[in-house]
Amino acid sequence: MARVALEQIGKMYGAVPAVIDLDLEIEDEEFVVLVGPSGCGKSTTLRLVAGLEDVSSGTIRIGERVVNRLPPKDRDIAMVFQNYALYQHMTVYDNLAFGLRNRRTGEAVIGQEIARAAEILGIGNLLKRKPRELSGGQQQRVALGRCIVRHPQVFLFDEPLSNLDAELRAHMRIELKRLRERIAVTSMYVTHDQVEAMTLGDRVAVMRDGRIQQVGTPLEIYNRPKNRFVAGFIGAPAMNFLEVRLEDAGGELYAVAPGFRIRVPSERAGLRNFSGDRALLLGVRPEHTLLGEPKPEHGTGFDALVEVTEQLGAELLLGVRAAGRTLIASRIDPETELAPHAPVRMSLDPRGLHFFDGATGEALR
Amino acid sequence: MTAATAAIEPGSGRRMADALAPGGRMALLVLTLGAILLLFLGPAVILVVTSLRPGWAVYYIYRGTAFTVQNYLEVFARPAVVHAFINSFVLATLATLFSLGVTITSGYMLSRFRGPIPRTWFGTIYLFRTVPYISWVLPLYLVDYYLGIYDTYVGILLPHIAVHICFFSWIMKGFFDGIDPSMEYAALIDGCTRWGAFLRVALPSAVPAITALAILSWLYTWNEFLFALILTGHNTAMITVTMAQFVTELGTQWNLMSAMAVLAMGPAVLVTVFAQKYVIRGLRI
């Protein structure tokens, strides 16, 4: 087992940077998820750690070793690919044995390891089959088995669930969690799916344009996004954003937009420095966008018009027009009757107010 | 097609054949297929019939009932013909074996690697393929002559290997493009070197493609005429050239020529029957 440390790593494809000065430390047995939109450099980062690509600058350490110049086979890692990448011409057993045989492991030990992995993953009955005779979920299990048998220092996952249908993906997500309880290995997991990121990661690193935007536990990322991008990327339905100014009136701070004015709670007094004409973004998650007159502790309300409603059974999603924007509110009582274009009173949960610099998108605290 | 299915597939409504009644459409299909069959099968039938006729009857293959296998016996009684068959067989086999080694690796390189070497190599074979085939023959003759390998196995073998490599590297590249590279990445991580990943993972996955390629290469050399005509003499005569030698000053011995042609078609027919699955894959790329 080992720590993985990426220090100032960069990767250029010709003149195009794919990864820029990336720092990331993964503790022993920690599970870190790299998440971001496509083309953000997350897969490239994983391939750099795997050794499938060479870094242009910086240092990669696995354990105490600098592995920059080591070929993939000497890095003591295992990787699961999006399309499983099973050896099509071999049986499942030979697929699992391939890595061990390359390391001159005895057949008896190989047999034991495969039996153990097959038991953990429930693929004991598939060992004699060829990959093309397996379903997507079964192939993914075999791919996981290929990692488990080798007892590597690091597991790398490259979007392992994206080729599965929604139901199977949810199922495999739970299986992956279970697997982690049985086999704790330092892991790097790449996905574009924020649900996977939130549910699987001990920590999550959100990437964009080759840079890490924020690293933290799923809750930190969710509750204290560092910038507008992270705030908008994590969470579904996505965070609402309103262009506002801060107004300092009689010792109270107000967030103001045309037709919209709410009081900022006093514990956010630090924001006073940003009051005046400075353009800010107010971010508020749908679950903090509340229907009805505000409770006393929720400050001031504002007027809005119903645009759409989406009935989900357990909750109602509500889209309202306020301050020239559409705001989405979630967790509305599904029994609520709301006609389109009806005027409603709304309020915002003061604990859920995020302010971002209008120009840089940085969170203001 | 019923009105309902036509409504489901709006694009198909514009097809010309749809203007016809269903019966007319069937007639059109039968006529087209018939014409194609006639065009391709007709010459083969004429060839086989001619090869079974006595020499005096070859101009009237649709009349008369005189058939004989004498032509085949006579053809095989000629040492030149037997030699030609052996020569062509040996040449096609050797050229295929030698070229495959390069074709497979160069196809792999073109498919998987970027950089100056693959680019240059790509340019080279591209050049070779765009220049008219016939314009290589005379220079090759001179090369053979000055190297003293004219009318030797080597003198014809080397150009054939070169042609195989240039023509079939592209096909091999196409095959490897169709094989997912992440399998090789997995092999690299599982303890293979780059060569190991190629030999133990990419190559076994490409066996059907390589089979198709081997068949295509072999048939190419077996059927080749131009190089055989210019670069070989009496020592290494090939079937295609020997066959043409039935055109004599006293007239063309159609019956004998046909008999030899039918024999020469043998490998192609066998391949078509037994390995068509692979060959079709090869031709599709």
Side-chain angles (χ1 to χ4, degrees), chain A residues 223-266:
Chain A
N223 290 334
R224 292 177 66 83
K226 251 189 184 157
N227 58 36
R228 197 218 134 125
F229 173 77
V230 174
F233 189 79
I234 300 290
M239 187 183 270
N240 298 304
F241 292 101
L242 280 176
E243 283 133 29
V244 297
R245 287 181 302 103
L246 284 184
E247 205 177 86
D248 196 348
E252 295 274 17
L253 215 48
Y254 290 89
V256 183
F260 175 91
R261 181 184 172 89
I262 61 156
R263 196 171 70 229
V264 178
S266 51

Side-chain angles (χ1 to χ4, degrees), chain B residues 144 148-156 230-237:
Chain B
D144 268 17
I149 54 173
Y150 170 71
D151 198 16
T152 63
Y153 270 124
V154 178
I156 181 83
I230 308 286
L231 301 180
T232 65
H234 288 294
N235 290 331
T236 56

Side-chain angles (χ1 to χ4, degrees), chain A residues 273-302:
Chain A
N273 303 333
F274 305 103
S275 60
D277 281 339
R278 190 153 168 187
L280 303 182
L281 274 178
L282 166 63
V284 60
R285 294 205 181 273
E287 66 267 27
H288 296 137
T289 309
L290 309 171
L291 179 66
E293 274 299 338
K295 293 177 190 158
E297 72 270 23
H298 283 182
T300 44
F302 58 94

Side-chain angles (χ1 to χ4, degrees), chain B residues 52-75:
Chain B
L52 292 170
R53 298 287 275 181
W56 50 266
V58 291
Y59 296 102
Y60 311 101
I61 55 163
Y62 47 88
R63 274 192 311 198
T65 51
F67 287 102
T68 172
V69 291
Q70 190 58 38
N71 298 325
Y72 287 89
L73 299 177
E74 199 174 319
V75 163

Side-chain angles (χ1 to χ4, degrees), chain A residues 47 52 72-73 77 79 81 83 85-89 98-99 102-103 146 150, chain B residues 180 182-193 196 200-202 204-205:
Chain A
R47 293 169 61 83
L52 297 173
K73 69 188 178 75
I77 49 169
M79 187 157 168
F81 294 84
N83 47 13
L86 299 179
Y87 311 123
Q88 296 295 326
H89 57 289
F98 189 77
N102 281 335
R103 283 169 173 71
R146 202 165 53 179
R150 286 205 4 235
Chain B
D180 184 1
S182 58
M183 222 183 345
E184 290 147 49
Y185 299 143
L188 288 177
I189 289 170
D190 258 350
C192 287
T193 57
R200 298 179 53 196
V201 172
S205 319

